[in-house]
Amino acid sequence: MHDTKLKEAIEFVADLIAGSKRCVVFTGAGISTESGIPDFRSPGGIWSKYNPTEFTYQKFLASKENRRLRWQMIKETTAMFQAQPNTAHKAIAELENISRLDCVITQNIDNLHQAAGNKCVIELHGNALWIYCLDCDAHFPRSEIQARLEAGEEIPDCSHCGGMLKLATVSFGEPMPVKETEEAAQRSSRADVFIVIGSSLVVHPAAMMPVYAKQAGGTLVIINMSPTPHDKYADVIIRMKAGEVIPAIVERVKQKIAQ
Ligand code: NAD
Ligand code: ZN
């Protein structure tokens, strides 16, 4: 992006946020690439190693072999979730501190918004740091189950009731969490400023949130490295790395509200 144009865009977005009543930030895998977690569609990412169609919810429930493979994948990817929040996550947490954020709606499962300090985080696709029992709903930290996997268990079961364990993320083919999806849709429709960061906006129904915001009269900002199918609804598009542009925007917001 041309420097003058970028400066204007940063100024415009900072003005929007400073004057907002209900600013909603909506994030996808792109905000965490600078923390070292590969996004969904990049070559060399986890999905070029594992075939996503093998990991549907239905197949997980139906076949022991599939569960074995899934747990093997979980075992191999645990280290990835020890990532730390980057400057973009931290800047968004700062927006909450200065009362310029209604909530973060995220498609990410990496817990990095909470790690950065955000309190109001709506997770549309669950959280990869937890494992839970499909029978008794007991929850276990992933690190605890990881230790069992590394000790040789191939398909760990619930230590309370012997039930089937599953990663607390929404799998392909699994219904979306009702409460989170409804709350996200509601807050999107009420947002006066809605900022998409690092999402290709192709995974539904999550990708509808910016459309709800726009339809209800909100101003839509998209900060993403590549084009999305919803760019036509955006009032501003910034094609830059989140970690470079979000801190600059939040810095300007702070200066503006201090004036
Ligand atoms: P996606 O991979 O489809 O799209 C990511 C987008 O971010 C791309 O358009 C890319 O151009 C952009 N991008 C990459 N790095 C960026 C950066 N530094 N700054 C700005 N933009 C950047 O991701 P999605 O839309 O979130 O959909 C993927 C699905 O996979 C989601 O449902 C999510 O649950 C899951 N997922 C989550 C994680 C995570 O938790 N970190 C990682 C991979 C996949
Ligand atoms: Zn149980």
Side-chain angles (χ1 to χ4, degrees):
M1 215 168 167
H2 193 276
D3 268 4
T4 325
K5 260 189 124 179
L6 174 62
K7 233 177 149 199
E8 277 171 19
I10 289 175
E11 223 31 48
F12 184 79
V13 178
D15 269 330
L16 282 174
I17 299 174
S20 69
K21 296 240 169 341
R22 281 179 304 275
C23 172
V24 170
V25 165
F26 175 91
T27 61
I31 196 174
S32 296
T33 54
E34 290 165 87
S35 288
I37 303 180
D39 67 12
F40 204 64
R41 286 160 185 88
S42 61
I46 48 169
W47 297 111
S48 44
K49 180 167 175 195
Y50 297 95
N51 178 357
T53 58
E54 289 303 313
F55 292 113
T56 66
Y57 186 53
Q58 289 71 19
K59 283 189 177 176
F60 182 83
L61 295 183
S63 133
K64 199 171 170 188
E65 178 52 18
N66 224 276
R67 287 197 288 283
R68 201 183 58 74
L69 274 172
R70 181 72 176 118
W71 283 111
Q72 187 186 325
M73 176 193 172
I74 291 168
K75 182 180 164 191
E76 287 179 16
T77 53
T78 292
M80 191 166 89
F81 292 101
Q82 278 154 13
Q84 299 299 314
N86 62 48
T87 52
H89 296 104
K90 288 177 189 163
I92 295 166
E94 194 59 23
L95 278 186
E96 194 173 275
N97 289 340
I98 60 171
S99 306
R100 284 300 182 285
L101 186 71
D102 180 65
C103 68
V104 178
I105 300 172
T106 190
Q107 302 174 83
N108 294 345
I109 54 174
D110 55 28
N111 205 56
L112 290 182
H113 288 297
Q114 293 93 325
N118 276 104
K119 301 273 179 301
C120 188
V121 181
I122 302 173
E123 294 176 312
L124 292 177
H125 296 157
N127 188 308
L129 298 194
W130 291 93
I131 310 276
Y132 74 106
C133 173
L134 292 172
D135 293 324
C136 77
D137 200 40
H139 279 61
F140 306 91
R142 182 167 176 158
S143 52
E144 194 178 314
I145 306 297
Q146 179 73 10
R148 288 171 59 185
L149 291 168
E150 283 171 10
E153 282 187 53
E154 288 200 315
I155 307 176
D157 59 9
C158 175
S159 52
H160 297 312
C161 77
M164 195 187 285
L165 292 183
K166 185 185 171 295
L167 189 66
T169 58
V170 178
S171 305
F172 294 96
E174 183 174 355
M176 295 281 291
V178 176
K179 188 173 142 273
E180 281 82 357
T181 309
E182 279 176 1
E183 190 180 349
Q186 229 174 52
R187 288 186 188 255
S188 299
S189 308
R190 288 201 311 244
D192 51 0
V193 178
F194 191 98
I195 306 176
V196 174
I197 305 171
S199 173
S200 59
L201 297 180
V202 296
V203 179
H204 281 265
M208 283 310 288
M209 301 301 160
V211 181
Y212 296 150
K214 188 67 192 170
Q215 282 171 346
T219 305
L220 178 60
V221 179
I222 297 183
I223 300 171
N224 200 57
M225 299 274 277
S226 54
T228 84
H230 293 162
D231 284 359
K232 56 184 176 289
Y233 301 115
D235 297 276
V236 195
I237 298 174
I238 302 180
R239 293 222 187 290
M240 288 255 310
K241 282 194 173 174
E244 289 167 9
V245 74
I246 313 290
I249 292 172
V250 173
E251 212 36 58
R252 281 302 286 143
V253 173
K254 282 161 78 176
Q255 288 166 357
K256 284 170 192 291
I257 62 178
Q259 277 165 12

